[in-house]
Amino acid sequence: MSSTASTSSISSFYTENGVTRLNGSELMSGLDTQKLIDAMTAKTQSKIDKQNSLEQVATWRREMYREVESLMQKLSDDYFSFASDTNILSSTFFSSLDLVSSSSAVSATGTASNAGNVVVNSVSQTAKAAVYTTQDISGVTTIQSGALRSEWAQSAVGGKSLVVGYGGKQYTLTVDSSVTLDSDADANANLTKITDNLNKQIASSDELKGHVEFSAENGQVTLKSTDGTTDVSVTAYKADGDDTSGETFLSALGLSGKTAAASITGDTVTTDADSPLFNQTVSSASYLKLKVDGTDYTVYLGTDEDGNPLDLSNVSSTDEVANAVAQQLQSQIAGNSDLKDKVSVTSSGGKITITGGDVSGGSENLLQGLGLQADGGTVDKAALTKSYLGDTLAGSTVSFTLDGVTKAVSFSESEKDDYDEAGKISGYLQKKLNTAFGSEKVTVAEESGRLTFSVTDSTSVLKIASASASGVLGEDGALRLRYGAVNRLDTTMTLDEYANSVSTELSATETDADGKPLYELNVNGKAFTFSGDNEIGTVLSTISNDSDAGVNIQYSQTSNCFRILADDTGAQGRISVQDVGSGNLASVLHLEADENAVTIKTGEITNLSSESDSTYSLSVGGGQEAKSLSVGDEQEVKFTIAGGTYDSINSLKDAAQTAIDTTGLNGKIQVGVSTDGKHLIFGSTDGSSFSLAKDSESAGGYSRPRRR
């Protein structure tokens, strides 16, 4: 009798995804270790996979946007550009050998492959869609910061209020929170910022507008009634539960306790870092590093028992400042069981003494303000209340967005020595951005003490998205970078902000009642005036929504240029954008365009008076059939400008336009004024040639026309 033994075999190894692993069933525990590891790391791996997926989607989206933009531009260049052989707006596009014309004004030639057997019965006008694409906008291909500083005094004037009395009533005026001062600027410059903003508040009040005004001169602030007789007053603003801040602000302006009839002039004041117009509190995050019995400790200055930071606004002498800081530090030490009874902080003669521990580091304001960087140094109030580059940035992050992908750049506390001075920032950020986006994608440089950010790919869009802490971004922030700053035109910027940027030469020769610059444009004969307070987006929408202007202006962030489209097609569709009078806005944004540059410019007009009527002969003829067939044979008309005195050259222009429109040439000849305001400019709206001459029988006259 025989028996068969049954056996089973289990491999000690298995292969998965090309990797040979030990079979978990061979272990004493019977556990599959690989599957356990996969399960334990699944959540982390899914997060990594998700972020990789988002980055890939953003890359695809960017490529799609670029492809669409390229296709749209190619479509325009191929089929809507007069430089293209396939322009469907051109009169020659549909030409054919078989074309038959029944009009004496039209002749056509071409091949059958272009248009086939097409019969043109008549042509009254060739329609064209006026489109103008500007150059790249100068000054917005990089992001630029303000002038960097290693240390600075924070402005504290934003949001401060005072009370003005006029006509028996009291009015509260509050300085905008956006107003910032510079402790290194002279007093008049800082005081003027405040008085200009207070005058802005006055202009918005129907009861005060035109009746009272502030001014600053010789370091003094003056409030007066404009009629020179009505009494005015200025007193401190009192908030609920706060009787001191309003008086402090008024005192800082030199107006405390001042009374006079019709005009009040304050005392001469200074606006350096010691002024209450700047921060006078010591940051609660200030700290000292102490080594006690071989162990390192960090002691923060903290707040008082009411949760407020140490306020030195009413502390003047060096002894008082040193005593206030010593008491605050000692209270923090007393609350630390490891340091209590071991370390003490005392003050004497304006100097701080720390016994029981050695100072090994700390925040710059305490090290410099307490004189701890030099043996026996005297306390410096201004240094205590200042902000410092390294301290402000340490521990914060700034988010940058490149072509839709956002990365956070961290300012590590342990690396503070690499960015605590203005001259080090560009190098530190370059290293961080190389890690975030890859080398040579974003370039950081320093020019005249300012940071500049540029991209290698000219079509890439770089944006400063956000910061994790206050005091990092903003005009008065550590990096002096605007929130949302982008290497393209920011249409949310006001014209003032754009004019004050480093890279633009935007300027104006005239101002409004509030002292804001005025920018004047003429779009297809329609005049527009914008103030420095207007946003660029408001300028574009105002022009585009005006039916008389007849154009639509679009901005492309990808190509960084404007595209101007006429609302109408045909001869009535035209594009003419010019600076007139004050300002060079159209020139700086490259919006200046005259798609029909057939013009006649008069001689200089120095006399706006004429004792008799002036008659002119206007001959319009088809000298440019290639551009337009709308006029046909030469047409000559006469128009008369009534004699008399005109109050401005614009009034004379309007009279000439009205006279021409009554001759039957309405809409064909447009009259404008030159940028310098000394000449009239006559232009054909459809590009037809024309001539203008003063009638020999006319005795009057305002200027001698000349061809251009």
Side-chain angles (χ1 to χ4, degrees):
M1 184 177 183
S2 63
S3 63
T4 302
S6 176
T7 61
S8 62
S9 175
I10 301 177
S11 175
S12 299
F13 299 90
Y14 71 97
T15 301
E16 184 179 47
N17 297 329
V19 179
T20 301
R21 308 180 186 281
L22 178 67
N23 194 317
S25 61
E26 291 294 294
L27 300 178
M28 290 297 295
S29 64
L31 298 177
D32 189 328
T33 55
Q34 181 58 39
K35 291 183 178 179
L36 282 175
I37 293 172
D38 289 345
M40 293 171 66
T41 60
K43 189 173 182 180
T44 300
Q45 185 62 44
S46 67
K47 291 181 179 180
I48 295 173
D49 293 341
K50 182 178 180 181
Q51 293 302 315
N52 289 336
S53 176
L54 290 175
E55 183 174 1
Q56 183 62 56
V57 169
T59 300
W60 287 339
R61 185 181 293 116
R62 178 189 64 191
E63 292 172 354
M64 291 172 64
Y65 287 163
R66 290 179 178 175
E67 184 177 0
V68 171
E69 179 81 16
S70 176
L71 289 173
M72 292 299 293
Q73 188 64 52
K74 187 176 186 305
L75 176 67
S76 176
D77 293 341
D78 288 348
Y79 299 108
F80 297 94
S81 171
F82 283 95
S84 171
D85 294 333
T86 56
N87 174 27
I88 63 175
L89 302 179
S90 171
S91 59
T92 62
F93 180 78
F94 298 100
S95 61
S96 168
L97 289 173
D98 299 319
L99 288 177
V100 178
S101 173
S102 60
S103 171
S104 60
V106 176
S107 63
T109 60
T111 61
S113 60
N114 286 337
N117 296 322
V118 178
V119 176
V120 179
N121 295 319
S122 65
V123 176
S124 61
Q125 178 178 335
T126 56
K128 59 178 179 178
V131 179
Y132 176 73
T133 302
T134 69
Q135 305 173 38
D136 283 357
I137 303 169
S138 60
V140 290
T141 56
T142 62
I143 297 175
Q144 293 182 307
S145 74
L148 293 176
R149 299 178 184 177
S150 298
E151 58 185 66
W152 67 97
Q154 286 278 7
S155 176
V157 71
K160 293 293 191 297
S161 301
L162 50 74
V163 178
V164 169
Y166 176 80
K169 295 182 179 180
Q170 304 293 309
Y171 303 89
T172 299
L173 303 180
T174 303
V175 179
D176 286 340
S177 59
S178 60
V179 175
T180 59
L181 307 182
D182 183 352
S183 61
D184 292 332
D186 64 67
N188 279 331
N190 281 326
L191 293 176
T192 298
K193 284 187 178 181
I194 299 173
T195 56
D196 282 351
N197 195 259
L198 291 173
N199 285 332
K200 177 183 175 182
Q201 316 307 320
I202 290 172
S204 65
S205 169
D206 293 337
E207 288 137 315
L208 290 180
K209 183 178 181 180
H211 298 300
V212 297
E213 65 179 2
F214 281 93
S215 61
E217 188 175 2
N218 298 324
Q220 297 173 297
V221 174
T222 297
L223 169 66
K224 66 180 181 180
S225 58
T226 55
D227 61 12
T229 58
T230 305
D231 288 349
V232 293
S233 65
V234 57
T235 55
Y237 171 76
K238 294 185 179 181
D240 293 340
D242 181 9
D243 295 332
T244 60
S245 62
E247 183 59 45
T248 299
F249 178 52
L250 202 67
S251 177
L253 296 179
L255 293 170
S256 181
K258 293 293 180 179
T259 58
S263 180
I264 301 172
T265 298
D267 296 329
T268 302
V269 297
T270 60
T271 60
D272 56 19
D274 286 325
S275 168
L277 298 175
F278 293 89
N279 174 57
Q280 296 298 305
T281 63
V282 186
S283 171
S284 59
S286 305
Y287 65 94
L288 289 178
K289 289 185 177 181
L290 302 178
K291 184 176 288 294
V292 180
D293 296 334
T295 303
D296 292 325
Y297 296 92
T298 299
V299 178
Y300 289 92
L301 187 64
T303 59
D304 62 19
E305 57 186 16
D306 296 324
N308 299 316
L310 181 61
D311 188 352
L312 300 178
S313 58
N314 295 317
V315 181
S316 56
S317 71
T318 303
D319 283 348
E320 292 175 321
V321 172
N323 187 53
V325 176
Q327 289 182 4
Q328 185 76 1
L329 286 172
Q330 187 61 50
S331 67
Q332 299 299 311
I333 290 173
N336 187 319
S337 58
D338 292 331
L339 298 180
K340 184 180 180 181
D341 300 328
K342 290 183 179 180
V343 178
S344 65
V345 182
T346 58
S347 67
S348 177
K351 298 180 180 180
I352 293 287
T353 300
I354 299 176
T355 56
D358 297 323
V359 178
S360 58
S363 55
E364 287 297 313
N365 64 326
L366 289 188
L367 293 177
Q368 295 190 27
L370 300 181
L372 298 176
Q373 291 183 324
D375 294 337
T378 303
V379 168
D380 183 346
K381 176 182 173 181
L384 281 169
T385 57
K386 281 184 178 180
S387 296
Y388 294 82
L389 189 59
D391 291 344
T392 304
L393 293 177
S396 68
T397 61
V398 177
S399 295
F400 293 80
T401 300
L402 179 65
D403 294 330
V405 178
T406 301
K407 301 283 188 178
V409 169
S410 300
F411 290 88
S412 173
E413 177 81 40
S414 62
E415 297 175 334
K416 188 166 71 171
D417 289 345
D418 294 336
Y419 57 78
D420 60 353
E421 295 179 8
K424 301 177 181 179
I425 287 291
S426 61
Y428 185 81
L429 285 176
Q430 183 68 73
K431 180 180 67 174
K432 291 288 186 175
L433 289 172
N434 285 347
T435 301
F437 295 111
S439 60
E440 299 182 356
K441 294 290 185 63
V442 179
T443 300
V444 188
E446 182 182 341
E447 297 180 7
S448 302
R450 303 171 186 267
L451 290 176
T452 63
F453 299 81
S454 58
V455 292
T456 304
D457 185 346
S458 62
T459 65
S460 291
V461 178
L462 177 68
K463 181 179 181 180
I464 311 296
S466 62
S468 64
S470 61
V472 175
L473 298 179
E475 183 181 349
D476 202 33
L479 296 178
R480 300 298 194 271
L481 287 168
R482 295 179 68 249
Y483 284 96
V486 65
N487 67 328
R488 292 292 187 267
L489 182 69
D490 184 354
T491 56
T492 65
M493 293 178 71
T494 66
L495 295 179
D496 272 350
E497 290 172 334
Y498 188 62
N500 292 331
S501 64
V502 178
S503 54
T504 181
E505 296 179 355
L506 184 65
S507 62
T509 57
E510 297 180 13
T511 59
D512 61 15
D514 297 326
K516 294 294 182 181
L518 290 177
Y519 302 93
E520 299 173 298
L521 301 177
N522 186 292
V523 182
N524 285 344
K526 177 63 182 291
F528 293 91
T529 300
F530 299 101
S531 169
D533 283 335
N534 293 132
E535 293 184 354
I536 295 175
T538 300
V539 173
L540 303 181
S541 62
T542 300
I543 295 174
S544 296
N545 294 332
D546 192 294
S547 58
D548 292 334
V551 298
N552 184 273
I553 305 179
Q554 302 170 352
Y555 171 66
S556 170
Q557 193 175 75
T558 302
S559 59
N560 194 32
C561 64
F562 290 104
R563 192 172 178 82
I564 310 174
L565 301 91
D567 290 344
D568 297 321
T569 58
Q572 66 271 29
R574 64 187 296 262
I575 296 174
S576 176
V577 183
Q578 304 291 334
D579 287 315
V580 294
S582 174
N584 61 344
L585 180 61
S587 174
V588 168
L589 295 182
H590 297 304
L591 286 172
E592 279 191 323
D594 193 350
E595 179 258 347
N596 298 305
V598 181
T599 60
I600 292 176
K601 183 178 181 180
T602 70
E604 183 174 341
I605 298 175
T606 58
N607 182 14
L608 293 174
S609 298
S610 178
E611 296 180 355
S612 58
D613 296 348
S614 302
T615 301
Y616 296 86
S617 295
L618 181 62
S619 297
V620 182
Q624 294 192 15
E625 286 92 353
K627 289 191 72 175
S628 173
L629 300 175
S630 62
V631 177
D633 295 334
E634 185 171 334
Q635 181 179 0
E636 181 172 329
V637 298
K638 292 185 179 182
F639 66 92
T640 300
I641 302 177
T645 300
Y646 292 89
D647 57 8
S648 69
I649 192 171
N650 283 299
S651 297
L652 180 61
K653 175 209 72 174
D654 293 340
Q657 185 69 69
T658 300
I660 291 173
D661 290 346
T662 61
T663 66
L665 292 177
N666 186 14
K668 294 183 178 179
I669 299 296
Q670 186 76 40
V671 187
V673 178
S674 63
T675 302
D676 60 11
K678 297 179 180 180
H679 310 266
L680 290 182
I681 298 178
F682 295 78
S684 63
T685 59
D686 63 359
S688 298
S689 63
F690 67 100
S691 63
L692 179 67
K694 185 175 180 297
D695 192 37
S696 59
E697 297 179 0
S698 177
Y702 296 91
S703 65
R704 177 176 59 83
R706 65 183 183 190
R707 292 181 183 272
R708 191 183 79 172

